[in-house]
């Protein structure tokens, strides 16, 4: 996990408690933004605060973290002395620990593949200027023994419509994986490629996949001086560097 997420975080599968959905967030190398000391792991519990949009309210929860010592096979606990307030401004709460963290009543095993077979897939869309559909999906390709597709919105998706090209990586089998990959819009001059990394769980705002609504501005993409559309062909590419394998344990 430490190698996969580096200085980022791993977010668990959602679980339900008290009528709300929650996730664990684990920074295996510490949350630098929260001033975590070197050599520490940071853990947080995060509430799904989407309910705040339609039903604004504060949620107070009694939080207790269970920490498992694999040597002594004992659980240690950390509990806040007062109920913790969760809202749309501060949807998560946590602290730093220096031993492995697990959840007492619902667990998942995390592992990942980094030696991904066929990690790079390039897709060419000819006659880009005359494309008339809202979106286009590539042929299925296999990477890491799993099936994927790329999806392009030539004139943008959602709030990016008519301003940006949108680009997503999707799982054909709708598998829920923690994915680390790089998406690219290729330029005839490679050093001018537009390159954006993706990391995390699939998101509803990304067609239940990984990517960006605002990947490249249409003004730049269609500018003949920029070198993206050569002979009216758009070339997009993905490089999948790692993805998780998880097993929920109840």
């Amino acid at each position: 996990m430490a190698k996969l997420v580096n200085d980022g975080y791993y977010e668990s599968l959602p679980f339900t408690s008290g009528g709300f959905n929650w996730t664990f967030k684990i920074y295996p190398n510490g949350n630098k933004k929260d001033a975590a000391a070197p050599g520490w792991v940071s853990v947080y519990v995060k509430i799904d605060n989407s309910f705040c949009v339609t039903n604004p309210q504060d949620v107070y929860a009694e939080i207790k973290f269970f920490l498992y010592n694999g040597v002594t096979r004992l659980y240690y606990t950390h509990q806040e002395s007062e109920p913790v307030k969760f809202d749309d401004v501060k949807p998560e709460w946590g602290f730093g620990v220096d031993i492995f963290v697990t959840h007492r009543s619902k667990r998942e095993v995390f592992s990942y593949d980094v030696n991904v077979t066929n990690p790079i897939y390039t897709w060419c869309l000819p006659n880009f200027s005359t494309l008339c559909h809202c979106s286009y999906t590539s042929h299925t390709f296999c990477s890491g023994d799993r099936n994927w597709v790329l999806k392009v919105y030539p004139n943008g998706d959602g709030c990016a419509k008519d301003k940006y090209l949108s680009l997503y990586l999707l799982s054909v089998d709708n598998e829920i994986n923690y994915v680390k990959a790089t998406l690219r819009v290729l330029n005839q001059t490679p050093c001018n490629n537009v390159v954006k990394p993706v990391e995390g769980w699939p998101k509803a705002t990304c067609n239940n996949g990984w990517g960006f609504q605002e990947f490249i501005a249409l003004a730049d993409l269609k500018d003949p001086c920029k070198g993206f559309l050569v002979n009216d062909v758009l070339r997009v590419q993905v490089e999948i560097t790692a993805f998780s394998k998880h097993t929920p344990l109840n």
Side-chain angles (χ1 to χ4, degrees), residues 205-236:
T205 55
C206 299
N207 276 231
N208 293 318
W210 305 262
F212 301 89
Q213 285 187 344
E214 299 180 358
F215 196 90
I216 180 175
L218 292 177
D220 292 333
L221 180 66
K222 296 179 179 180
D223 187 338
C225 298
K226 296 294 180 67
F228 289 104
L229 297 177
V230 179
N231 297 322
D232 204 23
V233 175
L234 173 71
R235 295 186 301 146
V236 296

Side-chain angles (χ1 to χ4, degrees), residues 98-116:
D98 61 351
I99 54 180
F100 181 76
V101 179
T102 185
H103 193 278
R104 195 172 191 179
S105 61
K106 186 174 183 180
R107 299 178 294 154
E108 66 182 73
V109 174
F110 173 91
S111 61
Y112 63 93
D113 285 333
V114 290
N115 297 315
V116 178

Side-chain angles (χ1 to χ4, degrees), residues 52-82:
C52 295
V53 177
T54 56
N55 185 26
Q57 61 178 293
D58 298 335
V59 175
Y60 289 85
E62 293 185 355
I63 301 299
K64 179 184 287 187
F65 289 96
F66 288 81
L67 305 101
Y68 181 70
N69 188 314
V71 177
T72 64
R73 297 185 179 181
L74 296 174
Y75 281 94
Y76 297 90
T77 62
H78 173 90
Q79 184 171 16
E80 298 300 325
S81 58
E82 299 289 338

Side-chain angles (χ1 to χ4, degrees), residues 124-133 136 154-155 222 229-235:
C124 297
L125 287 84
N127 305 313
F128 181 81
S129 62
T130 59
L131 296 180
C132 57
H133 294 297
Y136 293 83
N155 291 304
K222 296 179 179 180
L229 297 177
V230 179
N231 297 322
D232 204 23
V233 175
L234 173 71
R235 295 186 301 146

